[in-house]
Amino acid sequence: PVADETVAADWIYYAPGSVILIEDLGVRIVTDKGGRIKKNRVDMFMSDCPAAKRFGIKRKNVDLLNPVLDVE
């Protein structure tokens, strides 16, 4: 994971590799899934624990810029 670039998401909602735009925060890439990340929530990777605690939990609009389709 890379700070300010990658996020974890529920892969049912955002497939790995999907590019999303988070309101006021910019573009991020879905690279991970968190066991406790469910539905339309995302978990942003932060540079360190104090930065994550300062940021806290926020509600932001998310736009899916390039959906990755699961092709089998």
Side-chain angles (χ1 to χ4, degrees):
V2 179
D4 299 324
E5 186 176 311
T6 60
V7 298
D10 184 337
W11 287 0
I12 292 172
Y13 286 76
Y14 302 107
S18 293
V19 178
I20 61 174
L21 175 63
I22 303 175
E23 172 189 12
D24 301 326
L25 299 172
V27 174
R28 303 289 191 270
I29 302 168
V30 177
T31 60
D32 195 8
K33 62 179 174 180
R36 301 178 80 182
I37 307 303
K38 302 296 182 199
K39 297 188 179 179
N40 62 344
R41 295 176 181 231
V42 296
D43 183 20
M44 297 179 23
F45 183 76
M46 304 294 255
S47 58
D48 55 52
C49 190
K53 287 183 179 183
R54 282 191 306 274
F55 184 82
I57 297 172
K58 301 194 183 321
R59 287 183 176 265
K60 298 285 184 181
N61 291 318
V62 174
D63 292 318
L64 186 57
L65 298 180
N66 81 322
V68 174
L69 303 176
D70 185 20
V71 180
E72 293 187 40

